[in-house]
Amino acid sequence: MHLQIFATGGTLDKVYYDALSDYRIGEPMATDILEEGRVDFTFTVASLIKKDSLELTDADRALVRARVEACPHRHIVVTHGTDTMTETAAALAGIAGKVIVFTGAMQPARFRNSDAAFNLGLAVGAVQSLPEGIYIAMSGRIFEADHVRKNREAGRFESTTDAPNQENP
Amino acid sequence: MHLQIFATGGTLDKVYYDALSDYRIGEPMATDILEEGRVDFTFTVASLIKKDSLELTDADRALVRARVEACPHRHIVVTHGTDTMTETAAALAGIAGKVIVFTGAMQPARFRNSDAAFNLGLAVGAVQSLPEGIYIAMSGRIFEADHVRKNREAGRFESTTDAPNQENP
Amino acid sequence: MHLQIFATGGTLDKVYYDALSDYRIGEPMATDILEEGRVDFTFTVASLIKKDSLELTDADRALVRARVEACPHRHIVVTHGTDTMTETAAALAGIAGKVIVFTGAMQPARFRNSDAAFNLGLAVGAVQSLPEGIYIAMSGRIFEADHVRKNREAGRFESTTDAPNQENP
Amino acid sequence: MHLQIFATGGTLDKVYYDALSDYRIGEPMATDILEEGRVDFTFTVASLIKKDSLELTDADRALVRARVEACPHRHIVVTHGTDTMTETAAALAGIAGKVIVFTGAMQPARFRNSDAAFNLGLAVGAVQSLPEGIYIAMSGRIFEADHVRKNREAGRFESTTDAPNQENP
């Protein structure tokens, strides 16, 4: 497996610039996390966009789609802000022959306590185990991309198809 | 999905006891890592053994097998020292109806730079994506448990079936 | 020694609120840092203000002065944003009988890589070693509060009295 | 101020070698901590010994003394294991014209939660604030080296001159 990572910004990559007293999107943290995870496969990380996902435009999503379609590799992880992750995933609908997994973080990877490393591991575990398709790896779960939403108040991703009163969750 | 975690010790759970100037196996770190990963599924963590995996006995492995067989849940992750992870996995051979994923760490989870959170994410991504069977999630990869070995010198897990001279790895 | 800490906000205490995709001032991190530092003296932490230091008003500074004057303890550390730390220190001029040390951080204490714990240690080392007065502990150095400025471009504090060409710095 | 650091080993510098399933003394962490602390003074770090402090010999202590005496700088911090820190400090008795501060850690600096950065900050704050002499900076306090002992059971350093029943500690 060769893993292609496309970084599009979001909380996962946020850094703090003291000179501006501001947080911005920094360089992709995926490289650091994969090295710390001591992965034994080849990978490339391409930084496509550095934005909060609420600021992503149709043009940004067209760029992501074009780069994913042009990618010669089967295994793709997209790091993305959580607020519009499902929208960008929807913009990739119909791309065949690839396993595409989106992930991100609720807390910046540079924090001492962050979900970033766990989430990227989750995505890497899923991308090599699943058939072709588009998935979202968040909240410790793997969702099909068209059956998941972010519950902003609860701070988690949840299935849109889970029966609310099911007996055996 | 309800996830059952069985902790058996190993580097992942090592702590440093200053009073003894020594490292020992502490309480399972899986709980902390899953909480930091903000997982949205129920899980239980049972601490079965607290040993370096080189010290595990046949009786220890029989205990792990008995607990896995008796577990009512389909999804099981076993945290384990890396040196004999494949031996304990072999001791579970033939257990049907479950997805069992072993993982561990090369550096203690309590370190600032550790593969522990990434590896547990990897295992959680795999356990819910794969058919029943026994797997090892290390080095960023998911291996079938009977086709993998630890390369101690290189500090990684590698497949025993990868063709050494293959053209397109 | 009993140590009184007054927290006034600043980068040191910044947290990331995913629900708002925003950074705000959180609860004082001084308590966590002192516990992690395993200090063996009694201390109290009072959170006076939660602001970026650029937003502090004259009323805020009057509050800090009033609380410091009313404090029965000799040893006081003020955690503060770095941009106007020297202004608040100047607002305390003339308070006698106390050792008052300001400190803060360039990176939030919640980051994996932060100057926060080191800086608070620096302040605690200084507050118990120096005669009464008002000091700033930043950039690894202890400055008298009326002879220091923040060099925002360089991201450090520097003395206003160091001779620029001195032979033996 | 130019700061000379002499590293002699101890918990502060411990690393975990997975290939040996063992902890050893690694390269001095003081450099990393001072850089993370964004210090604005020049410093040099010399690694003299890499041992648990219980293993230090008279010859080791003679080496530390020789190097401290030969050091042209006034400000010296010695990082040292905690168990025999006071013995090595005693071996430096009578060295004049220098401020010498010992510090160390109860938990390795490479841990996510460690007293190492705080303690080194404490030592750096003390070394530039105190008159010449030999001091120990641990447990958040600055002790004169000949009036302190490690209380191994309690995991802290304590003064040998504090009155045990004093009313106002």
Side-chain angles (χ1 to χ4, degrees), chain A residues 112-114, chain D residues 112-114:
Chain A
R112 278 218 276 189
N113 298 296
S114 167
Chain D
R112 278 216 278 189
N113 297 297
S114 167

Side-chain angles (χ1 to χ4, degrees), chain B residues 18 38 111-114, chain C residues 18 38 111-114:
Chain B
D18 179 68
R38 299 174 166 230
F111 271 42
R112 278 216 276 189
N113 298 296
S114 167
Chain C
D18 179 69
R38 299 173 166 231
F111 271 43
R112 279 217 276 189
N113 298 296
S114 167

Side-chain angles (χ1 to χ4, degrees), chain D:
Chain D
M1 177 178 78
H2 177 92
L3 181 65
Q4 173 67 52
I5 303 219
F6 291 118
T8 67
T11 296
L12 189 140
D13 286 336
K14 284 206 172 165
V15 296
Y16 183 77
Y17 291 97
D18 179 68
L20 305 165
S21 291
D22 195 14
Y23 286 80
R24 299 282 175 89
I25 310 293
E27 291 305 303
M29 289 297 289
T31 306
D32 287 25
I33 295 170
L34 292 176
E35 287 174 356
E36 198 164 283
R38 299 173 165 230
V39 304
D40 184 39
F41 51 73
T42 59
F43 63 91
T44 39
V45 178
S47 175
L48 301 188
I49 306 162
K50 290 182 176 174
K51 290 188 181 178
D52 274 331
S53 74
L54 289 170
E55 298 165 7
L56 290 174
T57 63
D58 288 350
D60 292 325
R61 295 201 165 89
L63 171 65
V64 175
R65 182 177 179 108
R67 291 297 300 269
V68 168
E69 284 185 317
C71 174
H73 304 294
R74 176 179 174 83
H75 300 98
I76 295 174
V77 167
V78 181
T79 64
H80 198 287
T82 57
D83 283 318
T84 67
M85 188 182 279
T86 56
E87 293 176 41
T88 304
L92 303 192
I95 297 180
K98 298 183 187 303
V99 193
I100 304 163
V101 182
F102 283 75
T103 195
M106 298 293 195
Q107 292 286 310
R110 289 170 176 84
F111 271 42
R112 278 216 278 189
N113 297 297
S114 167
D115 50 336
F118 179 86
N119 287 354
L120 197 58
L122 187 77
V124 170
V127 81
Q128 63 192 291
S129 303
L130 289 168
E132 63 179 74
I134 305 177
Y135 306 91
I136 283 183
M138 286 296 297
S139 301
R141 299 175 63 187
I142 312 299
F143 303 94
E144 293 180 33
D146 49 358
H147 294 93
V148 60
R149 68 173 160 243
K150 181 179 177 184
N151 181 329
R152 195 174 170 92
E153 293 67 39
R156 66 166 182 255
F157 281 71
E158 55 193 22
S159 173
T160 55
T161 55
D162 282 355
N165 298 317
Q166 65 188 119
E167 290 297 305
N168 302 299

Side-chain angles (χ1 to χ4, degrees), chain B residues 40-81:
Chain B
D40 184 39
F41 51 73
T42 59
F43 64 91
T44 39
V45 178
S47 175
L48 302 187
I49 306 162
K50 289 182 177 174
K51 289 188 181 177
D52 274 332
S53 74
L54 288 171
E55 298 165 6
L56 291 174
T57 65
D58 289 349
D60 291 326
R61 296 203 163 88
L63 170 65
V64 176
R65 183 177 179 109
R67 290 295 300 270
V68 169
E69 284 185 317
C71 174
H73 303 295
R74 177 179 172 82
H75 299 98
I76 295 173
V77 167
V78 182
T79 63
H80 198 286

Side-chain angles (χ1 to χ4, degrees), chain B:
Chain B
M1 176 179 77
H2 177 91
L3 181 65
Q4 175 66 51
I5 303 220
F6 290 119
T8 67
T11 296
L12 189 139
D13 286 337
K14 285 206 173 166
V15 296
Y16 182 77
Y17 291 97
D18 179 68
L20 305 166
S21 290
D22 195 15
Y23 286 80
R24 298 282 175 89
I25 311 294
E27 292 305 302
M29 289 297 289
T31 307
D32 287 26
I33 296 171
L34 292 177
E35 288 175 354
E36 197 164 284
R38 299 174 166 230
V39 303
D40 184 39
F41 51 73
T42 59
F43 64 91
T44 39
V45 178
S47 175
L48 302 187
I49 306 162
K50 289 182 177 174
K51 289 188 181 177
D52 274 332
S53 74
L54 288 171
E55 298 165 6
L56 291 174
T57 65
D58 289 349
D60 291 326
R61 296 203 163 88
L63 170 65
V64 176
R65 183 177 179 109
R67 290 295 300 270
V68 169
E69 284 185 317
C71 174
H73 303 295
R74 177 179 172 82
H75 299 98
I76 295 173
V77 167
V78 182
T79 63
H80 198 286
T82 58
D83 283 318
T84 68
M85 188 183 279
T86 56
E87 292 176 42
T88 303
L92 303 191
I95 297 179
K98 297 183 188 303
V99 193
I100 304 163
V101 182
F102 283 75
T103 195
M106 298 292 195
Q107 291 287 308
R110 289 171 176 84
F111 271 42
R112 278 216 276 189
N113 298 296
S114 167
D115 49 337
F118 179 86
N119 287 355
L120 197 58
L122 187 76
V124 170
V127 80
Q128 62 192 289
S129 303
L130 289 168
E132 63 180 74
I134 305 176
Y135 306 91
I136 283 183
M138 286 295 297
S139 300
R141 299 176 62 187
I142 313 299
F143 303 94
E144 293 181 32
D146 50 357
H147 294 93
V148 60
R149 68 174 159 241
K150 182 179 177 185
N151 181 329
R152 195 172 169 92
E153 292 69 38
R156 66 168 182 255
F157 280 71
E158 54 193 23
S159 172
T160 55
T161 55
D162 282 354
N165 299 317
Q166 64 189 118
E167 289 297 306
N168 302 300

